[in-house]
Amino acid sequence: MELKARIFTMAMLAIVFSSPAIAQKSPPAPVSPVLPPAPAPAPAPHHVDLADLLSVAGPFHTFLEYLQKTNVLETFQNQANNTKEGITIFVPKDSAFAALKKTTFANLTQDQLKSLILYHAFPKYYSLAEFNKLSTLNPVTTFAGSQYTLNLTYNMGTIQVKSMWSNPKISSSVYSTRPVAVYEVDKVLLPMQIFKSDPPLAPAPAPAPDAKASDVAPSPTSGKAASAKAKADEKNSSYQMGISIVNYLVLAVSGSLMLLW
C-alpha cells in the first residue's frame, strides 16, 4: 500500500511539471538599448567686432567715427554676425578724408551722411579672388540701396572700386575671413546721388621756408664782429706795408755807404 502511494505521488508530480504552463520558461527581461553618446555642442561662431578691428588697424578713425555717428556700425555688425551672406566693407584711411575740403562732409544732412557710409559696403562677403568674376557683373549694388552702385575693375590683381567722383584702388586687405571682409581704399567713395559735382580738394599746405631768417640775414652782433675783423685786417696790412718800406730804405742806405767806402 505504501509503495502504491509513492508511485501515485511521483506520477502526479511528473504530470504537474510536464504541463505547458510550468514547462514554458519565462521570457528574458528586455535589454535596454545602448544609445550612442550625445555629440558635443557646436562651438559658438566667432564674431568679429568691427569697432575693435577698425580702432587698431588703419588709421581708420574718421571712418569709424562716422560709422558710430550714423549708427551704421550696428547695421554692419548685425549683417556680419547674423546672416549667411556676410559683408564686404571698403574703408578709407584718415588721409583720404583729410584730402577733401572739410565742408564736403560738414554740409551733408544726417540721411546723406548715413547713405554715404552705407555706400562703402556690399551686403555680401567677397574674397579678393572673387572680384575678378564680380567685375563682370557691373554695376554692383551697395548697402545704400539699388541706386547706389559701384563699378569694379580687376587688372592683373589690381582692384579698383569706381564711384562717380572717385576711383580708388584696394591697397590692402585688413581682414578677410568669411563672413567678414574689410579692405582698405586710398580714396573716399563719392556717389553722384549725394554730390552733384566733384567735391573740392583740401588746400595744399603752405611750403616750408627753405631757410630760417637767422640763416639768411646776419644778426647785428655778427655784423659788428665782421666789421671789427675787417678793420683789424686793414690795420695789420698797413703795419706790414710800413715795415717793408723801412726795410727797403735801410737796405738802400747801406748799399750806398758800401759803394762810397
Side-chain angles (χ1 to χ4, degrees), residues 63 72 76 87-90 116-124 140-144 148 150 189:
F63 187 74
V72 173
F76 285 178
I87 189 170
T88 299
I89 308 174
F90 304 104
L116 176 64
I117 301 304
L118 289 170
Y119 188 59
H120 285 73
F122 292 149
K124 187 176 179 180
V140 183
T141 301
T142 67
F143 229 115
Y148 292 81
L150 292 169
L189 296 171

Side-chain angles (χ1 to χ4, degrees), residues 33-56:
V34 178
L35 299 177
H46 174 66
H47 293 158
V48 177
D49 191 310
L50 295 175
D52 288 346
L53 177 64
L54 296 179
S55 63
V56 298

Side-chain angles (χ1 to χ4, degrees), residues 69-89:
K69 182 178 180 180
T70 58
N71 293 325
V72 173
L73 180 62
E74 296 179 6
T75 303
F76 285 178
Q77 192 69 65
N78 180 68
Q79 181 75 12
N81 294 353
N82 303 319
T83 67
K84 294 181 179 179
E85 291 79 7
I87 189 170
T88 299
I89 308 174

Side-chain angles (χ1 to χ4, degrees), residues 129 131 160 189:
F131 275 87
Q160 289 186 284
L189 296 171

Side-chain angles (χ1 to χ4, degrees), residues 10 15 19 28 45 59 80 93 105 112 162 169 171 195 199 202 205 209 233 240 243 249 259-260:
M10 292 177 64
I15 292 171
S19 63
K93 294 179 66 175
F105 307 107
Q112 287 176 325
K162 181 175 176 59
K169 68 177 181 179
S171 52
F195 303 99
D233 291 342
Q240 291 178 352
I243 292 177
L249 292 175
L259 290 175
L260 295 174

Side-chain angles (χ1 to χ4, degrees), residues 11 24 28 35 48-49 71 79 108 111 115 121 126 133 171 174 190 221 253:
Q24 185 178 6
L35 299 177
V48 177
D49 191 310
N71 293 325
Q79 181 75 12
L108 297 180
D111 288 341
S115 295
Y126 293 104
K133 181 179 180 180
S171 52
V174 179
L190 303 169
T221 304
V253 172

